[in-house]
Amino acid sequence: MAPIVSVSHLVKTYGSGFQALKGVSLDIEEGEILALLGPNGAGKTTLISIICGIVNPSSGTVLVNGHDVVKDFRATRAIIGLVPQELTTDQFETVWNTVSFSRGLHGKKANPAHIEKVLRDLSLWDKKDNMLRELSGGMKRRVLIAKALSHEPRILFLDEPTAGVDVNLRKDMWKVVQTLREGGVTIILTTHYIEEAEEIADRVGVINGGEILLIEEKSALMKTLGRKQLRIELAEPVTVLPQGLEPYHLKLEDDGGRLIYDYDASGGRTGITTLLAAIAEAGLRIKDISTRQSTLEDIFVELVEKRA
Ligand SMILES: Nc1ncnc2c1ncn2[C@@H]1O[C@H](COP(=O)(O)OP(=O)(O)OP(=O)(O)O)[C@@H](O)[C@H]1O
Ligand SMILES: [Mg+2]
């Protein structure tokens, strides 16, 4: 099946001469949830804005459902919903009107039942007659989501949708996203909450300095890079590692009070049993042991730091 979004060799140089995207290529499959991670200024918003047809690329192409986003702006914009990072709404308009007008702007016939459903799903129904300036920051953010859903898009972009949103609401929002996904909507989101990406995405992309450093199935990512750590607290600190422990490539932490052993939890043999025997053999006494699963966050930090 052809990808629903196909980005090739995308370059964006802003007027200032700054190159925000340095030749990004990526395909997005219909129906997937793709999370884009990257530090501030990585180029996430620039990439999304170009796909949505809001910012023009300097070179390269983007096809959405087979249509070029620059030449065929109407066709591509009609099937895309965008929840922008910045709040951009008329503060003196009501919630109901804001969301209904947005549907009209995308060339769709009025459908009050759909607007009502969207507002109810996002817990905005009781605020439908309020002006936007009367809402809290988190509620305004939800209005942006409602706007993006007003014209029943096939592809939804969420640029930092949960920044400044409380925990309960964030959960509600992800429920909405999950429901959309079950309805076949393709979802691309950026977030700084790595646990969030870890929880809901099918694929994770890491972008930094205008380049995609990695894009992979989340499960594969966790498997190849997701390692475990055994942390061994010693009863008495050591200054050097005793002989016999070299094969384990241990790290010393906490002024010699802690040994760190990295191992692959997906393999059959972890080496823990022999390591513990070797530690006893070397005459070290163990005070405590714990394990720690490495997370997407570790992977992310490692990738971004390596390039820094
Ligand atoms: N209109 C503009 N003119 C000049 N430079 C810009 C413009 N918009 C963005 N940039 C620059 O392009 C780079 C990428 O910005 P972008 O907004 O895409 O980053 P981001 O990954 O979305 O960051 P954040 O996580 O902070 O939202 C930054 O260095 C930014 O300063
Ligand atoms: Mg951004």
Side-chain angles (χ1 to χ4, degrees), residues 111-124:
N111 183 348
H114 175 67
I115 305 295
E116 174 170 348
K117 181 178 184 310
V118 166
L119 292 181
R120 284 192 188 278
D121 284 350
L122 290 161
S123 318
L124 283 170

Side-chain angles (χ1 to χ4, degrees), residues 176-188:
V176 172
V177 165
Q178 210 62 54
T179 312
L180 288 168
R181 195 270 186 90
E182 282 157 21
V185 177
T186 307
I187 294 151
I188 297 95

